[in-house]
Amino acid sequence: MKNSVILSRQETDKQFEYMERVREVVGGGKVFIQTFGCQQNVSDSERLLGMAEKMGFKKTTVPEEADLILVNTCAVREHAELKALSITGGYKHCKEKKPSLIIGICGCMVSQEHRLEDIKKRYPYIDFLLGTTLMHRFPEILYGVIADKERRFWIDNDISVISEGLPVSREPGAPEAMVSIMYGCDNFCTYCIVPYVRGRERSREPEAVIEEVRSLISSGVKEITLLGQNVNSYRPVGRDGYGFAGLLGDICSLEGEAVIHFMTSHPKDATYELIDVMAANPPESGRVGISRRFHLPLQSGSDRILKLMNRRYTAAHYLSLVDYMRKRIPGIAITTDIIVGFPGETEEDFSATLDMLSRVGYDNIYSFIYSKRVGTPAAEMKDQIPEDVKKERFSRLIQLQSRISKDKNQIYVGKRVRALVEGRSKTDKDKFTARTETNRLVHFDGEDGLTGKYVTLYIEGAESHMLYGRLSEADEGDILI
Ligand code: 5AD
Ligand code: SF4
C-alpha cells in the first residue's frame, strides 16, 4: 500500500500526448485485441482499446486485417500461458504478409522475467512486451516502437499505480459493464502467481468509483460488476474504517435502477457487515441493489491444505459465513473455486473438499487442477501430486458437483424466473439465452428485440448447466430468484 500512487495528472497528460503523436504518425488503422484469463484482464483490455481508439485505431475481430495486434495474457495456470503462446505464434504469418503490422503482448504472462526473456529471444516478430503494472504507458511504448523502429520490453513489478483518467472503451449499448475498484493482491496464497505480476493491493478513491458507476447507470447499463483480485479487501488510503461494505452502501444509494455484482472475494475478508449490506439492498425495480450471488473461493476443504496454501481461514469459518449468508439472504447463489492436487494433498484431504461441496451445496464451482507456477512457494514443495491422480480426483469432483447443480436446478422446474436476455445462444442460433439473478443460464425461444431486456421465463426443464424455459406473461406461479 505504501508504494501505491494515483497516476499523476502529469503522467496522464503525457500519455494523452503520446496518443496524439501516434495518431499523427499512424493516421488510422485497425486494432485486434485477444484477451485471455479473468474479468480483470477483460477490463484491462477495455482500457487498452480505449487508448487505441484515441490513437485513431478502429477495432477489428479479424487479426489478418489488423495494423496493431495486442495479446493480453494470463499466467494463473500453465495451460493459459501455452495457449497464449501458441496463438501468438499464429500471428507470425500476419506479419509476413504485412510487415508494417505491430504486435504487442501485455498482461500477467509477460510480467514474469523468465517468460519475457524467452519471448524476446524466440519470437523476434513481437514488437513490444508490456507488464500489467505499466499498462497505462501503452501509448508511450507504442510510440517508441513506431518512432525508433526498435523493439521494447517493459516490466516493473515493484510499482503500484492506480490509473485514473485514461480512456476506457466498452461495448456500446451493452447492458452489462465492469468497473475495477482495486488492483493487485497482497495475500500470497502459496500456489498463486498474481501477487508477483499484479503488484501490491491498491484501492481507487470511492468518489472516482461512485462517479463511474453513476455515469454507467445513467447511460442505461443494467448490471455492473465491481472488480478486484481481492475485491472485499477494498481499502482506500486515508479513509479510516471505510471499506467494501461502505462502498456498496454508497453505490446502492445512487439514483436509477441497476444490479451490482462483485468479484472476487476472499473468505478472510468477507465480513458480516458486508453480508448485512447485501441483505439490506436487494435488487428491486426502480433502485440500485446488490445481486443475490456470492462467489467465495474455498480452494480446499482440508484445514491442513488451507494452511499450506496460506489461505488464513478454516473450513469451519467458511461454513459459518455460508450459514450467515443463507440466513440473511434466502435463495442466495453461492459459487466457488477449487484447486485439486495441491502438493501434499492426500485422499483424506480431498475427501474433505468433496464433503464441503455437499455441505455447502454450491450452485456452481470452477475447478482447477493445480499448476506449478515458477517463483511461488508451492512450486518448491515436496510431494507434488502425479498428473494421473490429479486428473482422477478432478473428474470425481466434477461428477459430484454436476449432481449437486442438477438437483439445485430442478427446483426451478415449474417455477418462473426473472432474467436478463443476453442474445442468441452460442450453441443454438435458433434459441436465446438469458441469465437469472442467481447466474443460471436459460435457453428459450425469443426475438432480437429482447436482447438487453429483463424477461420473465417459465422453466420447463433443467440440466446441470442449463435451464430450459419459455416467455411467461401470465401469472403462472411463484417467481424464484
Ligand atoms: N493452479 C491451479 N489453479 C490456480 N488458481 C490460482 N492459481 C492456481 C494454480 N497455480 C485458481 C484459484 C483461483 C482461480 C482464479 O484460479 O482457484 O481462485
Ligand atoms: Fe491469488 Fe490468493 Fe490473491 Fe486470489 S487471493 S489472486 S488466489 S494470491
Short mmCIF file of all heavy atoms in Angstrom, two decimals, residues 357-399:
data_model
loop_
_atom_site.label_atom_id
_atom_site.label_comp_id
_atom_site.label_asym_id
_atom_site.label_seq_id
_atom_site.Cartn_x
_atom_site.Cartn_y
_atom_site.Cartn_z
N LEU A 357 -18.32 -29.64 -0.60
CA LEU A 357 -19.22 -29.43 -1.74
C LEU A 357 -20.64 -29.85 -1.34
O LEU A 357 -21.61 -29.14 -1.62
CB LEU A 357 -18.78 -30.27 -2.94
CG LEU A 357 -18.05 -29.55 -4.07
CD1 LEU A 357 -16.90 -28.73 -3.56
CD2 LEU A 357 -17.63 -30.51 -5.16
N SER A 358 -20.74 -31.00 -0.68
CA SER A 358 -22.07 -31.49 -0.28
C SER A 358 -22.66 -30.63 0.82
O SER A 358 -23.85 -30.32 0.81
CB SER A 358 -21.99 -32.93 0.23
OG SER A 358 -21.37 -33.72 -0.73
N ARG A 359 -21.82 -30.22 1.77
CA ARG A 359 -22.36 -29.44 2.90
C ARG A 359 -22.82 -28.06 2.47
O ARG A 359 -23.86 -27.58 2.91
CB ARG A 359 -21.32 -29.33 4.01
CG ARG A 359 -21.12 -30.66 4.70
CD ARG A 359 -20.01 -30.61 5.70
NE ARG A 359 -20.43 -29.94 6.93
CZ ARG A 359 -19.70 -29.95 8.03
NH1 ARG A 359 -18.54 -30.57 8.06
NH2 ARG A 359 -20.11 -29.33 9.10
N VAL A 360 -22.03 -27.40 1.62
CA VAL A 360 -22.40 -26.04 1.20
C VAL A 360 -23.53 -26.11 0.15
O VAL A 360 -24.44 -25.30 0.17
CB VAL A 360 -21.18 -25.27 0.63
CG1 VAL A 360 -21.60 -23.93 0.06
CG2 VAL A 360 -20.12 -25.10 1.69
N GLY A 361 -23.47 -27.11 -0.72
CA GLY A 361 -24.45 -27.19 -1.80
C GLY A 361 -24.28 -26.02 -2.75
O GLY A 361 -25.17 -25.19 -2.93
N TYR A 362 -23.10 -25.95 -3.37
CA TYR A 362 -22.81 -24.83 -4.28
C TYR A 362 -23.73 -24.85 -5.48
O TYR A 362 -24.08 -25.91 -5.99
CB TYR A 362 -21.36 -24.92 -4.77
CG TYR A 362 -20.34 -24.61 -3.72
CD1 TYR A 362 -19.56 -25.62 -3.18
CD2 TYR A 362 -20.16 -23.31 -3.27
CE1 TYR A 362 -18.60 -25.34 -2.20
CE2 TYR A 362 -19.23 -23.03 -2.29
CZ TYR A 362 -18.45 -24.03 -1.76
OH TYR A 362 -17.54 -23.74 -0.81
N ASP A 363 -24.05 -23.66 -5.96
CA ASP A 363 -24.82 -23.56 -7.19
C ASP A 363 -23.94 -23.91 -8.39
O ASP A 363 -24.42 -24.43 -9.39
CB ASP A 363 -25.39 -22.15 -7.34
CG ASP A 363 -26.42 -21.90 -6.25
OD1 ASP A 363 -26.01 -21.61 -5.11
OD2 ASP A 363 -27.62 -22.07 -6.53
N ASN A 364 -22.65 -23.62 -8.27
CA ASN A 364 -21.71 -23.93 -9.34
C ASN A 364 -20.30 -23.84 -8.77
O ASN A 364 -20.07 -23.10 -7.82
CB ASN A 364 -21.88 -22.90 -10.47
CG ASN A 364 -21.28 -23.36 -11.77
OD1 ASN A 364 -20.78 -24.49 -11.87
ND2 ASN A 364 -21.33 -22.51 -12.77
N ILE A 365 -19.38 -24.59 -9.36
CA ILE A 365 -17.98 -24.44 -8.93
C ILE A 365 -17.08 -24.28 -10.16
O ILE A 365 -17.41 -24.75 -11.25
CB ILE A 365 -17.47 -25.63 -8.09
CG1 ILE A 365 -17.41 -26.92 -8.92
CG2 ILE A 365 -18.29 -25.84 -6.83
CD1 ILE A 365 -16.63 -28.03 -8.23
N TYR A 366 -15.96 -23.60 -9.97
CA TYR A 366 -14.93 -23.51 -11.00
C TYR A 366 -13.77 -24.31 -10.45
O TYR A 366 -13.21 -23.95 -9.41
CB TYR A 366 -14.54 -22.05 -11.24
CG TYR A 366 -15.73 -21.25 -11.70
CD1 TYR A 366 -16.60 -20.67 -10.78
CD2 TYR A 366 -16.02 -21.13 -13.07
CE1 TYR A 366 -17.72 -19.98 -11.19
CE2 TYR A 366 -17.14 -20.43 -13.49
CZ TYR A 366 -17.99 -19.86 -12.55
OH TYR A 366 -19.10 -19.18 -12.96
N SER A 367 -13.46 -25.43 -11.10
CA SER A 367 -12.43 -26.30 -10.53
C SER A 367 -11.20 -26.32 -11.40
O SER A 367 -11.29 -26.25 -12.64
CB SER A 367 -12.98 -27.70 -10.33
OG SER A 367 -13.88 -28.01 -11.34
N PHE A 368 -10.05 -26.38 -10.74
CA PHE A 368 -8.78 -26.30 -11.45
C PHE A 368 -7.83 -27.37 -10.94
O PHE A 368 -7.79 -27.64 -9.74
CB PHE A 368 -8.13 -24.93 -11.21
CG PHE A 368 -9.05 -23.79 -11.51
CD1 PHE A 368 -9.68 -23.09 -10.48
CD2 PHE A 368 -9.34 -23.43 -12.82
CE1 PHE A 368 -10.54 -22.05 -10.74
CE2 PHE A 368 -10.21 -22.39 -13.09
CZ PHE A 368 -10.81 -21.70 -12.06
N ILE A 369 -7.07 -27.93 -11.87
CA ILE A 369 -6.00 -28.84 -11.49
C ILE A 369 -4.81 -27.99 -11.11
O ILE A 369 -4.46 -27.05 -11.85
CB ILE A 369 -5.67 -29.79 -12.67
CG1 ILE A 369 -6.85 -30.76 -12.86
CG2 ILE A 369 -4.36 -30.52 -12.44
CD1 ILE A 369 -6.66 -31.78 -13.95
N TYR A 370 -4.20 -28.28 -9.97
CA TYR A 370 -3.06 -27.47 -9.52
C TYR A 370 -1.99 -27.40 -10.61
O TYR A 370 -1.60 -28.41 -11.19
CB TYR A 370 -2.46 -28.04 -8.22
CG TYR A 370 -1.14 -27.39 -7.90
CD1 TYR A 370 -1.09 -26.06 -7.49
CD2 TYR A 370 0.06 -28.08 -8.09
CE1 TYR A 370 0.13 -25.44 -7.26
CE2 TYR A 370 1.28 -27.46 -7.86
CZ TYR A 370 1.31 -26.14 -7.45
OH TYR A 370 2.51 -25.51 -7.24
N SER A 371 -1.50 -26.18 -10.86
CA SER A 371 -0.48 -25.96 -11.89
C SER A 371 0.70 -25.24 -11.23
O SER A 371 0.52 -24.21 -10.57
CB SER A 371 -1.12 -25.12 -12.99
OG SER A 371 -0.18 -24.61 -13.87
N LYS A 372 1.89 -25.81 -11.38
CA LYS A 372 3.10 -25.23 -10.77
C LYS A 372 3.43 -23.88 -11.38
O LYS A 372 3.53 -23.79 -12.62
CB LYS A 372 4.26 -26.16 -11.11
CG LYS A 372 4.83 -26.93 -9.97
CD LYS A 372 6.04 -27.68 -10.51
CE LYS A 372 6.74 -28.42 -9.42
NZ LYS A 372 7.94 -29.08 -9.89
N ARG A 373 3.60 -22.85 -10.58
CA ARG A 373 3.96 -21.54 -11.10
C ARG A 373 5.36 -21.16 -10.63
O ARG A 373 5.62 -21.12 -9.42
CB ARG A 373 2.96 -20.47 -10.62
CG ARG A 373 1.49 -20.72 -10.91
CD ARG A 373 1.09 -20.56 -12.35
NE ARG A 373 1.69 -21.52 -13.23
CZ ARG A 373 1.99 -21.27 -14.52
NH1 ARG A 373 1.78 -20.10 -15.02
NH2 ARG A 373 2.52 -22.21 -15.27
N VAL A 374 6.24 -20.86 -11.57
CA VAL A 374 7.63 -20.53 -11.24
C VAL A 374 7.68 -19.36 -10.25
O VAL A 374 7.02 -18.35 -10.46
CB VAL A 374 8.40 -20.14 -12.53
CG1 VAL A 374 9.81 -19.67 -12.21
CG2 VAL A 374 8.40 -21.29 -13.52
N GLY A 375 8.45 -19.55 -9.16
CA GLY A 375 8.63 -18.45 -8.21
C GLY A 375 7.66 -18.47 -7.04
O GLY A 375 7.80 -17.70 -6.10
N THR A 376 6.65 -19.36 -7.08
CA THR A 376 5.72 -19.43 -5.94
C THR A 376 6.19 -20.51 -4.97
O THR A 376 6.81 -21.49 -5.38
CB THR A 376 4.30 -19.79 -6.42
OG1 THR A 376 4.34 -21.08 -7.05
CG2 THR A 376 3.74 -18.77 -7.38
N PRO A 377 5.88 -20.36 -3.67
CA PRO A 377 6.35 -21.35 -2.68
C PRO A 377 5.85 -22.77 -2.97
O PRO A 377 6.60 -23.73 -2.78
CB PRO A 377 5.77 -20.84 -1.36
CG PRO A 377 5.51 -19.38 -1.58
CD PRO A 377 5.21 -19.21 -3.04
N ALA A 378 4.63 -22.91 -3.45
CA ALA A 378 4.09 -24.27 -3.64
C ALA A 378 4.85 -25.04 -4.72
O ALA A 378 4.91 -26.27 -4.68
CB ALA A 378 2.60 -24.20 -3.99
N ALA A 379 5.45 -24.30 -5.67
CA ALA A 379 6.19 -24.97 -6.75
C ALA A 379 7.40 -25.70 -6.18
O ALA A 379 7.89 -26.67 -6.77
CB ALA A 379 6.62 -23.95 -7.79
N GLU A 380 7.89 -25.23 -5.02
CA GLU A 380 9.07 -25.83 -4.40
C GLU A 380 8.70 -26.91 -3.38
O GLU A 380 9.58 -27.52 -2.78
CB GLU A 380 9.90 -24.75 -3.66
CG GLU A 380 10.27 -23.55 -4.51
CD GLU A 380 11.12 -23.95 -5.69
OE1 GLU A 380 11.97 -24.84 -5.53
OE2 GLU A 380 10.89 -23.39 -6.80
N MET A 381 7.40 -27.08 -3.11
CA MET A 381 7.02 -28.03 -2.06
C MET A 381 7.25 -29.46 -2.50
O MET A 381 7.13 -29.79 -3.68
CB MET A 381 5.54 -27.84 -1.69
CG MET A 381 5.28 -26.58 -0.90
SD MET A 381 3.51 -26.46 -0.49
CE MET A 381 3.47 -24.81 0.19
N LYS A 382 7.56 -30.29 -1.48
CA LYS A 382 7.72 -31.73 -1.77
C LYS A 382 6.32 -32.31 -2.03
O LYS A 382 5.31 -31.64 -1.85
CB LYS A 382 8.33 -32.43 -0.55
CG LYS A 382 9.78 -32.02 -0.29
CD LYS A 382 10.47 -33.03 0.61
CE LYS A 382 9.81 -33.20 1.96
NZ LYS A 382 10.01 -32.14 2.94
N ASP A 383 6.30 -33.58 -2.40
CA ASP A 383 5.03 -34.30 -2.58
C ASP A 383 4.12 -33.66 -3.63
O ASP A 383 2.93 -33.46 -3.38
CB ASP A 383 4.23 -34.37 -1.26
CG ASP A 383 4.98 -35.07 -0.17
OD1 ASP A 383 5.78 -35.97 -0.50
OD2 ASP A 383 4.77 -34.70 1.00
N GLN A 384 4.70 -33.29 -4.76
CA GLN A 384 3.85 -32.86 -5.88
C GLN A 384 3.01 -34.07 -6.28
O GLN A 384 3.47 -35.20 -6.27
CB GLN A 384 4.70 -32.37 -7.06
CG GLN A 384 5.57 -31.15 -6.74
CD GLN A 384 4.80 -29.83 -6.67
OE1 GLN A 384 3.79 -29.65 -7.34
NE2 GLN A 384 5.29 -28.90 -5.87
N ILE A 385 1.76 -33.82 -6.62
CA ILE A 385 0.84 -34.93 -6.89
C ILE A 385 0.97 -35.36 -8.36
O ILE A 385 0.95 -34.51 -9.25
CB ILE A 385 -0.61 -34.50 -6.58
CG1 ILE A 385 -0.73 -33.94 -5.17
CG2 ILE A 385 -1.61 -35.63 -6.82
CD1 ILE A 385 -0.47 -34.91 -4.05
N PRO A 386 1.07 -36.67 -8.61
CA PRO A 386 1.19 -37.12 -10.01
C PRO A 386 -0.03 -36.72 -10.84
O PRO A 386 -1.15 -36.67 -10.32
CB PRO A 386 1.26 -38.65 -9.89
CG PRO A 386 1.55 -38.94 -8.46
CD PRO A 386 1.10 -37.77 -7.65
N GLU A 387 0.22 -36.47 -12.13
CA GLU A 387 -0.84 -36.00 -13.04
C GLU A 387 -2.07 -36.90 -13.03
O GLU A 387 -3.21 -36.43 -13.00
CB GLU A 387 -0.33 -35.92 -14.49
CG GLU A 387 0.37 -34.64 -14.90
CD GLU A 387 -0.22 -33.35 -14.39
OE1 GLU A 387 -1.36 -33.02 -14.75
OE2 GLU A 387 0.47 -32.64 -13.61
N ASP A 388 -1.82 -38.24 -13.06
CA ASP A 388 -2.98 -39.14 -13.16
C ASP A 388 -3.85 -39.07 -11.90
O ASP A 388 -5.08 -39.12 -11.99
CB ASP A 388 -2.55 -40.58 -13.47
CG ASP A 388 -1.55 -41.12 -12.47
OD1 ASP A 388 -0.87 -40.29 -11.81
OD2 ASP A 388 -1.45 -42.35 -12.30
N VAL A 389 -3.24 -38.87 -10.75
CA VAL A 389 -4.02 -38.76 -9.50
C VAL A 389 -4.83 -37.46 -9.53
O VAL A 389 -6.02 -37.42 -9.19
CB VAL A 389 -3.09 -38.80 -8.26
CG1 VAL A 389 -3.87 -38.60 -6.97
CG2 VAL A 389 -2.30 -40.10 -8.23
N LYS A 390 -4.17 -36.38 -9.97
CA LYS A 390 -4.87 -35.09 -10.05
C LYS A 390 -6.09 -35.21 -10.97
O LYS A 390 -7.18 -34.76 -10.63
CB LYS A 390 -3.94 -34.02 -10.64
CG LYS A 390 -2.85 -33.54 -9.71
CD LYS A 390 -2.28 -32.24 -10.25
CE LYS A 390 -0.80 -32.25 -10.39
NZ LYS A 390 -0.20 -31.06 -10.90
N LYS A 391 -5.88 -35.85 -12.12
CA LYS A 391 -6.97 -35.94 -13.10
C LYS A 391 -8.12 -36.77 -12.57
O LYS A 391 -9.29 -36.44 -12.77
CB LYS A 391 -6.46 -36.54 -14.41
CG LYS A 391 -5.65 -35.54 -15.20
CD LYS A 391 -5.47 -35.98 -16.63
CE LYS A 391 -4.67 -34.95 -17.39
NZ LYS A 391 -3.56 -35.53 -18.14
N GLU A 392 -7.78 -37.85 -11.88
CA GLU A 392 -8.82 -38.75 -11.36
C GLU A 392 -9.64 -38.01 -10.29
O GLU A 392 -10.87 -38.08 -10.27
CB GLU A 392 -8.13 -40.01 -10.83
CG GLU A 392 -9.08 -41.17 -10.52
CD GLU A 392 -9.62 -41.10 -9.11
OE1 GLU A 392 -8.95 -40.51 -8.22
OE2 GLU A 392 -10.73 -41.62 -8.89
N ARG A 393 -8.96 -37.28 -9.42
CA ARG A 393 -9.68 -36.51 -8.39
C ARG A 393 -10.54 -35.42 -9.03
O ARG A 393 -11.67 -35.18 -8.61
CB ARG A 393 -8.69 -35.87 -7.40
CG ARG A 393 -8.09 -36.89 -6.47
CD ARG A 393 -7.17 -36.26 -5.44
NE ARG A 393 -6.48 -37.32 -4.71
CZ ARG A 393 -5.37 -37.18 -4.01
NH1 ARG A 393 -4.81 -36.00 -3.91
NH2 ARG A 393 -4.84 -38.20 -3.39
N PHE A 394 -9.97 -34.77 -10.02
CA PHE A 394 -10.68 -33.70 -10.72
C PHE A 394 -12.00 -34.24 -11.29
O PHE A 394 -13.05 -33.63 -11.13
CB PHE A 394 -9.78 -33.17 -11.85
CG PHE A 394 -10.35 -32.02 -12.61
CD1 PHE A 394 -10.38 -30.75 -12.05
CD2 PHE A 394 -10.84 -32.19 -13.89
CE1 PHE A 394 -10.89 -29.68 -12.76
CE2 PHE A 394 -11.35 -31.12 -14.60
CZ PHE A 394 -11.37 -29.86 -14.03
N SER A 395 -11.94 -35.44 -11.89
CA SER A 395 -13.17 -35.93 -12.51
C SER A 395 -14.19 -36.33 -11.44
O SER A 395 -15.39 -36.15 -11.64
CB SER A 395 -12.88 -37.02 -13.54
OG SER A 395 -12.89 -38.26 -12.95
N ARG A 396 -13.73 -36.83 -10.29
CA ARG A 396 -14.69 -37.13 -9.21
C ARG A 396 -15.35 -35.84 -8.70
O ARG A 396 -16.53 -35.82 -8.37
CB ARG A 396 -13.97 -37.83 -8.06
CG ARG A 396 -13.96 -39.35 -8.23
CD ARG A 396 -13.55 -40.02 -6.94
NE ARG A 396 -12.11 -39.96 -6.74
CZ ARG A 396 -11.50 -40.03 -5.56
NH1 ARG A 396 -12.22 -40.16 -4.45
NH2 ARG A 396 -10.20 -39.99 -5.46
N LEU A 397 -14.54 -34.80 -8.62
CA LEU A 397 -15.07 -33.51 -8.14
C LEU A 397 -16.17 -33.00 -9.08
O LEU A 397 -17.24 -32.60 -8.65
CB LEU A 397 -13.91 -32.50 -8.08
CG LEU A 397 -14.21 -31.15 -7.49
CD1 LEU A 397 -14.11 -31.22 -5.96
CD2 LEU A 397 -13.24 -30.09 -7.99
N ILE A 398 -15.87 -33.06 -10.37
CA ILE A 398 -16.82 -32.56 -11.37
C ILE A 398 -18.12 -33.38 -11.33
O ILE A 398 -19.21 -32.83 -11.43
CB ILE A 398 -16.23 -32.68 -12.80
CG1 ILE A 398 -14.91 -31.96 -12.90
CG2 ILE A 398 -17.21 -32.25 -13.87
CD1 ILE A 398 -15.00 -30.53 -13.27
N GLN A 399 -17.96 -34.69 -11.20
CA GLN A 399 -19.15 -35.55 -11.17
C GLN A 399 -20.05 -35.21 -9.99
O GLN A 399 -21.27 -35.10 -10.14
CB GLN A 399 -18.74 -37.01 -11.04
CG GLN A 399 -18.53 -37.69 -12.37
CD GLN A 399 -17.99 -39.10 -12.18
OE1 GLN A 399 -18.26 -39.73 -11.16
NE2 GLN A 399 -17.24 -39.57 -13.15
#
